[in-house]
Amino acid sequence: MKLEHFANDIRLTTLEMLKHKTFGHLGGSMSIVETLSVLYGKHMRVDPQNPTDPLRDYFVLSKGHAGPALYATLALKGFFDKSLLKTLNDDNTTLPSNCDMNITKGIDMTTGSLGQGFSAAVGIAKGLQIQNKNNHVYVIVGDGELNEGQCYEAMMFAVKHKLHNLTVFIDDNKLQLDGFRTDISDTADFKQRFNAFGFHTQTINGHDVHAIDSAINEAKNTKGKPTVIILDTIKGKGIKAFENRADNHHMRFSDHDNTILEETIKALKEGQS
Ligand SMILES: Cc1ncc(C[n+]2csc(CCOP(=O)(O)OP(=O)(O)O)c2C)c(N)n1
Ligand SMILES: [Mg+2]
């Protein structure tokens, strides 16, 4: 399937799930859709029939609140039945708001406490390196999440241990929970910062599947250091009326929002593969 089509289907499925629930983490789910499409549509070695296959590549969604986009991706890949998507965040669901490796097929790490997933991904990569395995580890961190000091310990360790089996994506959507990152705490340039730590760095349009594909190829061919791919993204991407709004992090949909969602869902259905 073409990666653009897969992205369209992930966005559509995620929005249908959130609309059914009537609320949820819309903004940060939408900004990672294209990255998930390229990872699961092309690069990740995974077997939906055998989610814990020791030969698989690992994926850690460190910004665990974007779980809905990952659940849509995993359901479309066949890790579990699509009907489960209607149970998002319900009591006793296997699809909680934030990712849980103990209850959801295809989730490699429990996340939601920001900063910790990055460290866990580094630990997985180090473990694979010790075992001389060539599985690759991908992790997505939020731009706001990089306010967490723990991330910088993870970065130092990853460089010191030459973890070229680790690719870090920064979802640089410029917004965090309720405002713009640069208004809250952080004004530094990610590229300069990761370069200074010793990463191989790339900055790309995070909604261009071909740019993401090339950047991952470059990361896989980089030896002796981990790679960071800084994704220039839009929080809420794909729903024009919601894009870049400081209140799109977790939305409880009004009647007006529902009309907008319905129109977007209709348009995405027309582009369905
Ligand atoms: C340690 C920790 N502190 C606070 C939170 C609450 N929280 C959830 S999402 C979020 C904002 C994250 O912003 P960003 O990383 O930019 O995510 P995105 O824009 O991709 O949604 C915060 C503060 C948390 N989950 N974990
Ligand atoms: Mg953000």
Side-chain angles (χ1 to χ4, degrees), residues 59-61 99-102 106-111 116-117 120-121 124:
F59 177 67
V60 178
L61 184 59
C99 298
D100 186 334
M101 65 188 283
N102 294 311
I107 298 292
D108 284 324
M109 182 49 62
T110 301
T111 49
Q116 296 187 358
I124 296 168

Side-chain angles (χ1 to χ4, degrees), residues 223-238:
K223 299 298 167 213
K225 49 167 83 170
T227 287
V228 65
I229 300 172
I230 302 157
L231 303 161
D232 182 11
T233 55
I234 294 171
K235 196 156 176 169
K237 172 75 178 175

